[in-house]
Amino acid sequence: MDNWAEKDKQNIWHPFTPLVGSADPIMITSARGIYLHTHDGRKIIDAVSSWWTNLHGHSNPHIAAAIAQQANNLEHVIFAGFTHEPAIKLSENLLTILPKNQSKIFFSDNGSTAVEVGIKMALQYWHNKGTPKKKVVAMNGAYHGDTFGSMSVGDRNIFTDPFSKHLFDVAFIDLPTKENEEIVLKHFLELIEKNDVAAFIVEPLVQAAGGMRMYSPAILDKLFSSARAHDVICIADEVFTGFGRTGKNFASNYLTYMPDIMALSKGLTGGTLPLSITTCTEKIIQEFRTDDFTKTFFHGHSYTGNPLACAVANASFELLTGLDCQDAIQRIATSHEQFRTEMSRHPAIKDARCLGTIFALEIKSDESTSYSNTIRKKIYPYFLEQGILLRPLGNVLYIVPPFVIKNDELQIIYNSIKKFLDLNI
Ligand SMILES: *Cc1c(COP(=O)(O)O)cnc(C)c1O
């Protein structure tokens, strides 16, 4: 393609990308397995699963076949008043692996809207019930998406500053650590003690975009059980942690107390098509099961329940629940754990952590740990040069690979990280 870089620059506004001072984007002409193929013949290891979406490798043949078959049969149909087999099959499939208390699936198109739907379900639950609780509690450092509702419940930072006046009020608790656990729990109890809190939303066990910050299932169980005692709806944003990422199908599987509402998206179609779901329990549904028209959940998108996306999600589900994939997840987790032990002794590392297929290194820095930390400007081009896509969150370098990655390929990434750290301390 002639002048593609020029044409791209002229016509396209890329996400999360400054219009000035950014390197030209890299043109990808094809991708297979863990590799992205560039227009100039290079191969890049996709160590971040293309924004954490890809599970079974790029251009996966099983998934490609599912799209082709579905595209020749039914590409799309309005989802109000109509239904189709791919969506019915997908809801049935998902309910076999979701926590047992989840009873219904609501479709939308991306993680932000899945969260948005979850918040709206929770608030309307109280509205329909006739006890309109309005307060929402969330966690500092959270990222729940880019729409107004999902921004409101997320960390207030450079992403949200231009909109701060338009975001609704939310009470925030700190991320619980070993050191502050009692304080956070006490703060949470103070916030909910009047029984006027509608919902509590969290990314269970891992705050992803916030810097792959991890916390224990034990403390989240304490928060969820307290929430339940004060009739607070618990929303688990598993957009990132869902579908095997954390070593179990869902981060909630590490808990004793299950959420009332779950938002899922990134791994749902194995990284192939945009699709998301918000699931909820029978308790939530009950307040909507009424002949009062005004209590309807008036929410939907043009492409809700798109048959192609559902067919792909079913194909991804078959792969995910297969033995090969489940073994691969455990193999990656073991490998990450070994590398974590090694890295935790490295002089350039402040903290090394992992959970399942997620591995993260917090690099020591004179600047504070944040998305704006300038080390990222060194990390990103360095690894691209080595043929590895690693997109750090400031000074947090992480690996979130497709599950089809092999051990020797993981080793290539690990070695490259060690080399980078040795050169940069
Ligand atoms: C990525 C992400 C979102 C937003 O999903 P989009 O598909 O990018 O809108 C929401 N919550 C979490 C935890 C995420 O990681």
Side-chain angles (χ1 to χ4, degrees):
M1 191 179 176
D2 288 342
N3 303 325
W4 62 269
E6 206 46 53
K7 287 179 189 167
D8 178 284
K9 202 174 232 148
Q10 206 157 55
N11 302 337
I12 300 177
W13 199 345
H14 289 269
F16 285 98
T17 307
L19 290 179
V20 173
S22 298
D24 284 344
I26 298 164
M27 172 102 104
I28 298 301
T29 45
S30 66
R32 187 157 289 274
I34 64 161
Y35 293 99
L36 308 173
H37 301 262
T38 69
H39 80 292
D40 55 359
R42 287 181 301 137
K43 268 167 75 173
I44 300 173
I45 296 178
D46 187 354
V48 297
S49 294
S50 279
W51 256 341
W52 322 338
T53 60
N54 194 290
L55 305 187
H56 314 297
H58 290 278
S59 306
N60 182 290
H62 183 64
I63 287 180
I67 300 183
Q69 203 192 9
Q70 187 58 42
N72 282 307
N73 209 30
L74 170 67
E75 87 306 347
H76 187 59
V77 63
I78 175 174
F79 208 54
F82 290 81
T83 192
H84 49 78
E85 192 184 335
I88 294 168
K89 203 165 131 199
L90 181 58
S91 60
E92 219 170 29
N93 277 341
L94 294 174
L95 286 168
T96 64
I97 60 166
L98 279 161
K100 291 280 167 283
N101 67 339
Q102 303 299 306
S103 76
K104 258 197 201 300
I105 312 264
F106 189 95
F107 290 99
S108 61
D109 313 329
N110 57 72
S112 305
T113 56
V115 167
E116 203 80 26
V117 165
I119 298 168
K120 285 178 72 173
M121 272 180 188
L123 293 176
Q124 192 177 338
Y125 165 86
W126 293 112
H127 175 87
N128 285 4
K129 218 174 152 66
T131 42
K133 300 188 187 189
K134 297 201 170 58
K135 283 193 198 159
V136 176
V137 179
M139 207 179 263
N140 280 319
Y143 176 79
H144 294 294
D146 295 338
T147 55
F148 275 87
S150 59
M151 278 197 293
S152 296
V153 292
D155 197 58
R156 308 299 169 90
N157 53 32
I158 54 166
F159 291 11
T160 57
D161 276 348
F163 319 104
S164 55
K165 291 246 167 8
H166 302 272
L167 304 180
F168 62 75
D169 277 344
V170 168
F172 289 95
I173 57 169
D174 282 336
L175 179 123
T177 60
K178 276 200 187 76
E179 290 73 38
N180 71 0
E181 193 180 303
E182 290 307 315
I183 300 168
V184 172
L185 191 59
K186 190 163 163 274
H187 182 207
F188 186 65
L189 285 169
E190 282 163 15
L191 289 170
I192 63 174
E193 70 182 356
K194 290 197 190 111
N195 289 352
D196 60 349
V197 171
F200 170 49
I201 180 165
V202 277
E203 295 164 88
L205 309 193
V206 189
Q207 286 190 327
M212 299 295 164
R213 302 201 299 167
M214 300 178 183
Y215 60 103
S216 79
I219 178 67
L220 186 54
D221 259 329
K222 284 184 195 165
L223 293 168
F224 274 5
S225 75
S226 312
R228 178 164 311 171
H230 292 273
D231 225 358
V232 177
I233 304 288
C234 294
I235 307 174
D237 174 358
E238 294 228 30
V239 169
F240 169 66
T241 51
F243 303 108
R245 265 296 157 220
T246 65
K248 296 187 189 255
N249 281 332
F250 305 100
S252 295
N253 294 139
Y254 286 92
L255 303 174
T256 307
Y257 289 86
M258 290 299 129
D260 302 289
I261 293 175
M262 294 173 73
L264 292 148
S265 181
K266 284 185 170 113
L268 176 55
T269 64
T272 301
L273 284 174
L275 184 70
S276 63
I277 55 166
T278 308
T279 69
C280 69
T281 61
E282 184 56 28
K283 169 183 159 175
I284 304 291
I285 287 298
Q286 264 179 12
E287 296 307 323
F288 294 84
R289 199 178 274 125
T290 158
D291 54 13
D292 181 347
F293 181 67
T294 64
K295 291 186 176 175
T296 306
F297 192 54
F298 289 112
H299 186 108
H301 301 280
S302 325
Y303 284 99
T304 293
N306 175 258
L308 289 175
C310 289
V312 167
N314 281 320
S316 178
F317 176 89
E318 284 157 18
L319 294 172
L320 176 72
T321 51
L323 261 189
D324 284 356
C325 186
Q326 291 297 315
D327 286 350
I329 291 170
Q330 298 318 316
R331 175 178 52 76
I332 295 167
T334 306
S335 171
H336 277 354
E337 182 53 39
Q338 281 166 3
F339 188 48
R340 188 194 66 81
T341 309
E342 186 183 345
M343 282 294 96
S344 59
R345 292 190 285 264
H346 197 286
I349 296 306
K350 190 169 163 200
D351 187 42
R353 45 191 183 250
C354 60
L355 181 66
T357 70
I358 310 160
F359 175 89
L361 286 176
E362 196 171 326
I363 299 170
K364 277 185 193 158
S365 162
D366 295 336
E367 301 168 49
S368 63
T369 292
S370 83
Y371 187 82
S372 315
N373 190 298
T374 49
I375 286 190
R376 78 181 195 286
K377 291 189 194 159
K378 263 193 192 163
I379 297 176
Y380 185 67
Y382 175 87
F383 287 101
L384 274 182
E385 188 72 19
Q386 310 290 312
I388 303 170
L389 168 55
L390 285 175
R391 209 184 134 87
L393 298 155
N395 57 320
V396 176
L397 180 56
Y398 66 86
I399 311 171
V400 172
F403 301 160
V404 293
I405 195 165
K406 299 195 176 70
N407 275 359
D408 56 334
E409 293 162 335
L410 277 172
Q411 216 53 54
I412 292 172
I413 303 173
Y414 298 157
N415 288 339
S416 193
I417 289 176
K418 282 191 276 190
K419 209 167 124 205
F420 171 82
L421 292 174
D422 292 342
L423 290 173
N424 285 280
I425 49 168

